């Protein structure tokens, strides 16, 4: 051993914190909030302990709870009053997300991001408009281009309600460009788009689909979401969204895809977001309920790791808990 080389010197109390490379701040965290048009009181989400669906009338109160922890940004998901084939309630002026956004923007200082997708609003649970793929079969697939017009309308309706940023998550080709044009034509040139640019077809979304009631009624999302084995393709998706005018890029899920977060970080100068999804939350919660993991410690460590991999911002169900521990 070379006795002059002692990395432990920098790990002494006081020094260790001084030279820390990655420090998480509550300002980097985005808290998901579920607003439910069918609920008249708060409903627990069993697969996501500590999270609830709240009625529209409680949305402001719910966001105030988030703000009290030091988290300043929420991402809203809606459970509509009814569902149909084309997700009509997704772009209704009096829809659940629109009503909640209006109230939250009027009554709080929160930064409001809205998820732009159709899966919570369609009766079949897919992220777009369906059509028979071939007349001789009954196989239905999501039609890309007809879905784009719907997504642009959804984004515009969120903008009109006062959203500060829209986050399209449907993984349709051309979605960012279509939404950008829709927003610009409606006079919302200044509204930023955070694209779920790199979204994998992941089994880690399971608990969310309970929470937002958005599980596909048949089949899966493998024809539009990415194959978990693909790495280079993530960069193609990121490039396409940059070309189409995305203002920030998201990678989802986060923990099992840290290599992708790093790749996207190195590919772009735009802000990179990572979404620590419902399954990542649920597994840490479940292990801690067994007494096998210390929840606060693993939550914090997981977020530090995601930021170290290259994320500037993190969407996480631990936002409030971790923000409180940072304060
Ligand atoms: C789609 C959407 C999903 C999530 C966020 N937006 C579900 C999906 O693609 O199946 C998942 C988030 C999570 O698991 O926490 N609108």
């Amino acid at each position: 051993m070379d006795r002059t080389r002692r990395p432990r010197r920098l790990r002494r109390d006081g020094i260790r914190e001084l030279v820390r490379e990655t420090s998480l701040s509550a300002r980097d965290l985005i808290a998901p909030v579920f607003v439910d048009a069918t609920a008249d009181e708060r409903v627990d989400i069993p697969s996501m302990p500590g999270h609830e669906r709240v009625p529209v009338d409680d949305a402001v109160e719910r966001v105030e709870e988030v703000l009290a922890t030091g988290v300043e940004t929420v991402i809203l998901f809606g459970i509509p009053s009814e569902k149909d084939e084309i997700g009509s309630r997704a772009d209704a002026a009096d829809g659940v997300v629109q009503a909640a956004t209006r109230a939250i923007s009027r009554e709080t200082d929160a930064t409001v991001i809205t998820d732009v997708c159709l899966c919570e609003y369609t009766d079949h649970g897919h992220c777009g408009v369906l059509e028979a793929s071939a007349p001789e079969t009954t196989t239905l697939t999501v039609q890309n281009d007809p879905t784009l017009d719907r997504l642009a309308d959804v984004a515009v309706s969120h903008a009109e309600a006062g959203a500060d940023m829209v986050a399209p998550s449907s993984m349709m080709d051309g979605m960012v460009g279509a939404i950008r044009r829709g927003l610009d034509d409606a006079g919302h040139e200044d509204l930023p788009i955070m694209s779920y640019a790199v979204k994998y077809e992941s089994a880690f979304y399971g608990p969310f689909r309970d929470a937002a009631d958005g599980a596909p009624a048949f089949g899966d999302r493998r024809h539009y979401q990415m194959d978990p084995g693909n790495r280079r393709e993530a960069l193609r998706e990121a490039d396409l969204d940059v070309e189409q005018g995305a203002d920030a890029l998201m990678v989802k899920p986060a923990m099992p895809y840290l290599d992708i977060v790093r790749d996207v970080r190195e590919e772009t100068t735009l802000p990179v977001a990572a979404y620590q999804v419902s399954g990542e939350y649920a597994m840490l919660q479940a292990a801690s309920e067994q007494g096998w993991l210390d929840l606060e410690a693993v939550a914090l460590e997981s977020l530090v790791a995601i930021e170290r991999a290259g994320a500037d911002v993190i969407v996480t169900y631990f936002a409030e808990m971790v923000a409180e521990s940072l304060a």
Side-chain angles (χ1 to χ4, degrees):
M1 169 185 147
D2 174 352
R3 287 171 188 275
T4 67
R5 296 281 179 238
R6 294 185 184 274
R8 289 183 54 183
R9 286 181 200 124
L10 293 180
R11 296 183 196 137
R12 297 163 61 118
D13 284 346
I15 308 292
R16 180 183 158 94
E17 292 73 19
L18 180 71
V19 299
R20 179 169 292 152
E21 296 175 41
T22 307
S23 349
L24 202 64
S25 141
R27 300 208 59 153
D28 306 332
L29 305 179
I30 301 173
V33 166
F34 297 99
V35 189
D36 186 346
T38 68
D40 27 64
E41 53 185 38
R42 292 177 172 221
V43 186
D44 287 338
I45 303 168
S47 51
M48 297 173 67
H51 282 272
E52 312 171 299
R53 302 168 168 203
V54 304
V56 179
D57 286 347
D58 282 7
V60 167
E61 186 186 83
R62 175 77 194 94
V63 169
E64 277 166 352
E65 292 164 10
V66 172
L67 295 174
T69 66
V71 173
E72 298 179 7
T73 308
V74 294
I75 183 163
L76 297 185
F77 295 96
I79 295 95
S81 51
E82 66 246 4
K83 306 187 182 215
D84 61 22
E85 221 180 316
I86 60 162
S88 305
R89 297 300 298 167
D91 58 330
D94 63 348
V96 58
V97 164
Q98 292 80 355
T101 300
R102 231 176 271 118
I104 295 163
S105 320
R106 190 175 56 231
E107 291 177 44
T108 77
D109 293 328
T111 299
V112 177
I113 303 175
T114 56
D115 184 81
V116 174
C117 197
L118 295 178
C119 58
E120 293 123 49
Y121 301 88
T122 52
D123 50 15
H124 45 74
H126 278 286
C127 303
V129 182
L130 293 183
E131 220 172 83
S133 60
E136 70 275 14
T137 73
T138 52
T139 314
L140 295 169
T141 60
V142 173
Q143 295 300 295
N144 196 85
D145 296 6
T147 299
L148 297 181
D149 299 332
R150 296 283 306 121
L151 295 173
D153 289 347
V154 175
V156 169
S157 76
H158 291 174
E160 316 260 87
D164 297 298
M165 174 143 89
V166 290
S169 65
S170 75
M171 286 301 279
M172 294 300 123
D173 294 333
M175 71 178 183
V176 171
I179 288 170
R180 184 72 271 155
R181 279 190 297 282
L183 290 171
D184 291 356
D185 290 348
H188 299 287
E189 300 88 349
D190 291 331
L191 195 82
I193 300 175
M194 176 167 74
S195 175
Y196 289 70
V198 182
K199 180 173 173 180
Y200 286 90
E201 203 255 327
S202 171
F204 285 98
Y205 306 150
F208 175 93
R209 292 177 185 174
D210 299 338
D213 192 22
F218 62 89
D220 50 42
R221 306 206 204 286
R222 69 179 60 219
H223 294 142
Y224 41 105
Q225 298 180 348
M226 282 178 58
D227 189 320
N230 291 359
R231 181 175 170 193
R232 294 187 307 265
E233 188 188 4
L235 300 182
R236 283 208 298 283
E237 283 283 2
D239 286 346
L240 284 168
D241 284 8
V242 171
E243 281 166 25
Q244 291 168 43
D247 299 286
L249 302 176
M250 180 135 70
V251 174
K252 182 184 168 187
M255 282 198 288
Y257 295 85
L258 293 182
D259 55 331
I260 309 297
V261 173
R262 168 56 47 186
D263 286 348
V264 173
R265 167 72 293 153
E266 284 172 2
E267 177 86 351
T268 180
T269 55
L270 293 180
V272 173
Y275 197 139
Q276 184 184 47
V277 302
S278 56
E280 302 178 60
Y281 176 80
M283 66 186 182
L284 298 185
Q285 280 282 354
S288 87
E289 274 168 29
Q290 295 287 325
W292 295 338
L293 288 175
D294 171 344
L295 189 61
E296 275 198 26
V298 288
L300 179 63
E301 184 178 331
S302 67
L303 298 183
V304 167
I306 293 165
E307 198 159 296
R308 190 197 61 230
D312 300 295
V313 298
I314 307 172
V315 183
T316 172
Y317 302 97
F318 288 119
E320 291 163 89
M321 181 210 271
V322 167
E324 274 180 330
S325 77
L326 292 172

